[in-house]
Amino acid sequence: MIFKQLFDQKSSTYTYLIASSKGREALIIDPVLENVSNYIILLKELDLRLVKVIDTHIHADHVTGASKLKDITKCSTIMGDLTPADSVEIKVKDDEYIKLENLKIRAMYTPGHTSDSYSFLMDNYLFSGDTLLINGTGRTDFQNGDSKDAYNSIFNKLLKLPDETFLYPAHDYKGEKVSTIGKEKKQNPRLQVSSVDEYVDLMNNLNLKKPDEIDFNVAKNINLGA
Ligand code: FE2
């Protein structure tokens, strides 16, 4: 399998490129608009044909490269069924599978960071978007975020996956690249709560500043960055 974890410096976003092998079909998760030309170069180098691009949710901190990638490669755009982005071609539901030749990716509805957030599981690789981060969790104070929903998505869905599941989030701000569900259960400070109320309280008292350019980014992303 080909698996590349790409990083956007400006927004600290991780983008993932997946394909079964050279010369085959490829899928990209959470592309960043400014990096599209780099993805195209990488696809050429690996002789891959981009057929699908997924956004885990409507991002607030960068503009998605989905629409531009579609223009260049004719790939299909995919998001969860509750996305406000009308132009998304394939809207997947909870527990639905996305196929990429012999690879299968399970869509998991994990609202809380935003109401449209999905995570994606391929074998033991979990792409958690901003629902579960390494040593953190996605904030819940904008885009219809909800800390109770986030608790449910994290504790009753993602943390129920096997401990050895690799965690690949959409962001990291400290240079961490990968974790596991088991490690996060033990070490992630946000997960050391004993009830949903305790988690809601924790999330309600983060006092985070509004992301730069959130209004511009969200407006652009509702059109998939077009
Ligand atoms: Fe986000």
Side-chain angles (χ1 to χ4, degrees):
M1 188 179 77
I2 292 174
F3 174 72
K4 302 272 180 200
Q5 182 179 33
L6 310 165
F7 187 64
D8 177 63
Q9 291 287 349
K10 189 181 162 210
S11 62
S12 298
T13 300
Y14 281 128
T15 298
Y16 300 95
L17 172 83
I18 299 162
S20 51
S21 62
K22 268 197 170 190
R24 308 298 292 265
E25 294 185 348
L27 172 146
I28 290 181
I29 300 176
D30 286 333
V32 175
L33 180 62
E34 286 87 346
N35 303 333
V36 164
S37 50
N38 294 337
Y39 309 147
I40 297 296
I41 292 168
L42 187 58
L43 288 162
K44 274 200 185 125
E45 274 174 11
L46 296 167
D47 189 24
L48 297 175
R49 190 163 66 87
L50 185 68
V51 293
K52 285 171 179 155
V53 57
I54 300 176
D55 267 305
T56 50
H57 62 290
I58 295 285
H59 296 277
D61 54 2
H62 68 269
V63 176
T64 173
S67 194
K68 193 167 178 191
L69 281 168
K70 187 190 161 177
D71 286 348
I72 300 171
T73 68
K74 310 281 178 271
C75 65
S76 305
T77 51
I78 302 175
M79 283 188 82
D81 56 347
L82 292 168
T83 178
D86 290 335
S87 61
V88 171
E89 288 161 275
I90 303 171
K91 293 182 182 172
V92 288
K93 288 192 171 61
D94 190 29
D95 263 336
E96 198 174 315
Y97 282 86
I98 298 162
K99 281 192 185 140
L100 183 76
E101 296 182 329
N102 56 340
L103 302 173
K104 270 171 75 180
I105 297 154
R106 179 177 146 208
M108 299 174 75
Y109 181 43
T110 51
H113 167 60
T114 65
S115 55
D116 71 335
S117 287
Y118 264 74
S119 299
F120 295 89
L121 182 70
M122 183 184 67
D123 297 328
N124 60 339
Y125 287 59
L126 175 67
F127 303 100
S128 58
D130 292 353
T131 302
L132 179 59
L133 305 173
I134 299 171
N135 287 321
T137 56
R139 61 194 292 179
T140 53
D141 55 340
F142 51 69
Q143 292 177 275
N144 301 317
D146 184 300
S147 324
K148 259 190 198 171
D149 287 348
Y151 178 91
N152 187 43
S153 296
I154 295 166
F155 283 83
N156 297 327
K157 277 194 155 174
L158 300 185
L159 298 188
K160 301 276 188 211
L161 293 169
D163 279 357
E164 56 275 19
T165 308
F166 292 114
L167 174 71
Y168 285 102
H171 293 289
D172 195 85
Y173 305 93
K174 290 181 178 162
E176 299 286 340
K177 290 186 170 167
V178 59
S179 183
T180 63
I181 288 294
K183 239 190 216 174
E184 291 310 302
K185 271 188 199 163
K186 273 196 208 127
Q187 297 175 3
N188 188 324
R190 294 262 178 94
L191 306 184
Q192 312 310 313
V193 292
S194 51
S195 68
V196 59
D197 291 341
E198 202 183 319
Y199 188 72
V200 169
D201 213 46
L202 177 82
M203 296 307 285
N204 285 346
N205 289 294
L206 294 177
N207 300 317
L208 300 168
K209 106 179 207 306
K210 198 176 161 187
D212 297 336
E213 301 170 25
I214 175 173
D215 299 328
F216 173 82
N217 290 335
V218 168
K220 288 291 276 184
N221 287 334
I222 285 177
N223 287 310
L224 291 184

